[in-house]
Structure formats: structure tokens, C-alpha cells
């Protein structure tokens, strides 16, 4: 398909499925997304890209979710400072709610297999943040993140950022939770088109998106080298405010201890402390 016949939305969707933003940022600064896609097709020695049909694939994918691009009115203003790292587009369920949800977004995250006490703490923080008028965001993952979504839903909408296509939940048995989020005024967001499965690469990229969408990240409890700590590190890289509940000295909160000891996070022992720091 000639570049002139390819819409910007379809071109961006096709580019985002095969390239990271930094791989095409220089070209997009000089050419339209459709022209960049055509260039990539011509330079593809494998012939793989030439067999794709961006318009038809976008149409099929949008049967389950919407593909937003930066010129859409629903595009999150929070992503404006990302420069070349800005996503080429976002797959969204509940896209009409996204501008309001991302006006003051606070991520609540932590370990995937926490203690009951940590789950209770996560619910306390998320509930207080939601009651104060902020949007609680998390990754829908087991443990702290799911507890944060559930507590926030008692007061209002919440935002989920998934490391896979939005045709399914991740993890799969959180499908009812995902449905509750998107049916109660919230939204689910992903960098990946429907059908994409979670991987190490998608988890890393999604952690950066979650942090980028937020005003601040609150780390309830995190092991070193965990996915939750990856989100905290992304917040530091994106210059988002990072708050951490003080470590109890256990291995499970080693990530919190490290960030606080290095002065990379602000201590927030209680929800009231966190609200004062936001």
C-alpha cells in the first residue's frame, strides 16, 4: 500500500508492533509515520513486513480495544515529556476516560507474593489515595497491585497498565478484575496489540509506561530485582516522585531498604504521610 493511502493511525500501529520508539524516532522527526513504514518495508530484506496489511490489521484489532495516537484528544498529557521515548501509540480499553484518569495518577505497586499484612497495607494506601481524588494505577499483577486496584474500585475508577495485548488479562485469572476496572469508569492501557503475550521485554517496557503515566509511584514492599522495583527504577529514570514504605528488615522489603538508604525514595510510613508528599 502506498504511503499516501496509509492512515497515520494504521502506520503507527504497524510501526509499534515491530519497532521501539527510539528505533524510529529520528525518521519520524523528518517523515510521516506512513512514509517511515513504507521505508521500513522497502529496507526489510526478510520480506516479512511486505506481507502485512496495516489497515486491515488495525481494523481487526480495534474490535476489542482502541489504538490511540498522540494527536487524539484522549492522549495522556502525562506522556508529553518523554520526547523520543514517547510511545507511537497506546492500546486502550475505556479510552474516553483516559484524560481524566491520568490527570493525577499515583501508582501503588509491590511484591507479587506478599504477606497478608502487606496486602492490608496496600489496600490502606490505595483506598486513601483514591478517596483523596487521585487515580490509583497498577499492573493488575498478583499481590500488591491487584489489592490496590480492588481497594481503589471501592471509591472510584482505577487504571491498569498491562504487559500484553488487551484481549486477555495478565494474569489470566484476573479477567473479572480487568472487567470491573473497564466497566466502572476506569481504563486498561497497553503498548501491545491484541494477541501479544507477556514476556520479559513487555514487562520492562510496561513498567516504564506505568511510571511515565504517573505523578508519583508508591512502593509498598519490593524484593530486589522484582518487577515492582523495576517500576520504581523507571520512576527515577522518568523523574517521577518515588515514595517507599520503610523496610521491616525482611528480605521481602529489601528493594525498599535499598532505595531509602540511597536517598532515591522518600519515606512514607503511612497513607497520611504519602498524601502530604504527593
Amino acid at each position: 500500500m502506498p504511503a499516501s493511502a496509509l492512515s497515520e493511525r494504521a502506520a503507527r500501529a504497524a510501526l509499534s508492533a515491530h519497532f521501539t520508539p527510539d528505533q524510529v524516532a529520528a525518521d519520524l522527526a523528518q517523515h510521516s509515520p506512513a512514509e517511515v513504514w513504507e521505508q521500513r518495508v522497502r529496507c526489510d530484506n526478510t520480506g516479512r513486513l511486505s506481507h502485512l496489511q496495516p489497515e486491515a490489521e488495525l481494523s481487526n484489532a480495534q474490535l476489542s480495544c482502541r489504538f490511540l495516537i498522540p494527536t487524539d484528544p484522549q492522549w495522556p498529557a502525562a506522556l508529553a515529556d518523554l520526547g523520543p521515548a514517547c510511545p507511537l501509540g497506546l492500546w486502550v480499553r475505556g479510552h474516553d476516560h483516559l484524560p481524566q484518569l491520568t490527570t493525577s495518577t499515583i501508582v501503588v505497586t509491590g511484591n507479587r507474593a506478599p504477606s497478608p499484612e502487606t496486602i492490608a497495607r496496600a489496600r490502606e494506601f490505595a483506598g486513601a489515595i483514591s478517596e483523596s481524588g487521585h487515580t490509583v494505577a497498577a499492573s493488575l499483577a498478583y499481590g500488591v497491585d491487584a489489592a490496590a486496584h480492588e481497594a481503589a474500585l471501592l471509591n472510584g475508577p482505577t487504571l491498569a497498565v498491562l504487559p500484553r495485548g488487551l484481549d486477555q488479562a495478565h494474569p489470566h485469572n484476573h479477567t473479572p478484575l480487568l472487567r470491573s476496572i473497564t466497566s466502572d469508569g476506569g481504563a486498561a492501557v497497553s503498548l501491545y496489540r491484541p494477541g501479544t503475550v507477556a514476556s520479559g521485554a513487555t514487562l520492562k517496557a510496561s513498567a516504564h509506561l506505568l511510571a511515565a503515566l504517573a505523578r508519583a509511584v508508591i512502593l509498598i514492599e519490593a524484593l530486589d530485582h522484582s518487577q515492582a522495583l523495576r517500576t520504581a527504577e523507571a520512576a527515577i529514570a522518568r523523574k517521577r516522585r518515588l515514595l517507599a514504605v520503610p523496610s521491616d528488615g525482611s528480605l521481602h522489603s529489601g528493594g525498599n531498604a535499598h532505595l531509602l538508604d540511597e536517598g532515591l525514595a522518600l519515606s512514607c510510613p503511612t497513607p497520611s504521610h504519602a498524601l502530604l508528599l504527593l
Side-chain angles (χ1 to χ4, degrees):
M1 176 180 290
S4 59
L6 187 61
S7 69
E8 178 182 1
R9 195 177 307 278
R12 282 181 171 271
L15 287 168
S16 69
H18 300 281
F19 304 99
T20 61
D22 61 290
Q23 290 175 326
V24 294
D27 288 338
L28 286 174
Q30 302 179 54
H31 305 283
S32 72
E35 290 169 337
V36 174
W37 174 253
E38 188 178 61
Q39 291 168 3
R40 295 302 169 113
V41 171
R42 287 199 306 266
C43 296
D44 177 29
N45 294 326
T46 68
R48 178 171 52 96
L49 299 183
S50 64
H51 294 292
L52 301 178
Q53 299 179 314
E55 292 286 1
E57 291 169 8
L58 174 64
S59 179
N60 288 334
Q62 288 198 128
L63 294 174
S64 60
C65 54
R66 173 77 169 167
F67 185 70
L68 293 183
I69 59 177
T71 54
D72 285 324
Q74 299 92 352
W75 186 259
L79 302 180
D81 64 345
L82 296 186
C86 186
L88 298 168
L90 294 173
W91 295 93
V92 187
R93 287 171 60 181
H95 66 279
D96 287 337
H97 307 298
L98 201 56
Q100 294 75 28
L101 293 172
T102 54
T103 298
S104 183
T105 305
I106 310 298
V107 172
V108 178
T109 189
N111 288 329
R112 286 10 183 182
S115 66
E117 292 77 16
T118 299
I119 289 289
R121 188 177 300 117
R123 291 181 181 277
E124 185 182 5
F125 271 82
I129 290 163
S130 180
E131 285 178 358
S132 69
H134 300 288
T135 298
V136 171
S139 71
L140 203 77
Y142 289 121
V144 167
D145 290 54
H149 285 304
E150 291 165 351
L153 281 170
L154 297 176
N155 302 305
T158 179
L159 176 66
V161 177
L162 274 64
R164 62 150 297 130
L166 296 179
D167 53 318
Q168 292 189 28
H170 179 81
H172 181 68
N173 58 0
H174 278 178
T175 296
L177 178 56
L178 178 60
R179 188 180 302 116
S180 294
I181 290 171
T182 56
S183 64
D184 291 342
V189 176
S190 177
L191 293 168
Y192 305 100
R193 67 170 57 203
T196 306
V197 299
S199 67
T202 69
L203 285 163
K204 181 178 180 179
S206 295
H208 278 270
L209 176 61
L210 183 59
L213 287 167
R215 174 180 172 182
V217 171
I218 301 178
L219 194 63
I220 302 298
E221 176 191 74
L223 289 156
D224 268 322
H225 309 298
S226 64
Q227 180 66 12
L229 193 64
R230 182 177 282 170
T231 302
E233 291 168 345
I236 296 170
R238 299 298 180 200
K239 295 180 169 48
R240 302 312 194 239
R241 181 163 292 191
L242 177 61
L243 284 61
V245 175
S247 169
D248 61 4
S250 71
L251 179 66
H252 287 84
S253 59
N256 291 48
H258 168 74
L259 292 169
L260 290 168
D261 290 346
E262 295 295 321
L264 298 173
L266 299 171
S267 177
C268 61
T270 66
S272 59
H273 281 88
L275 291 173
L276 288 173
L277 294 170
L278 294 177

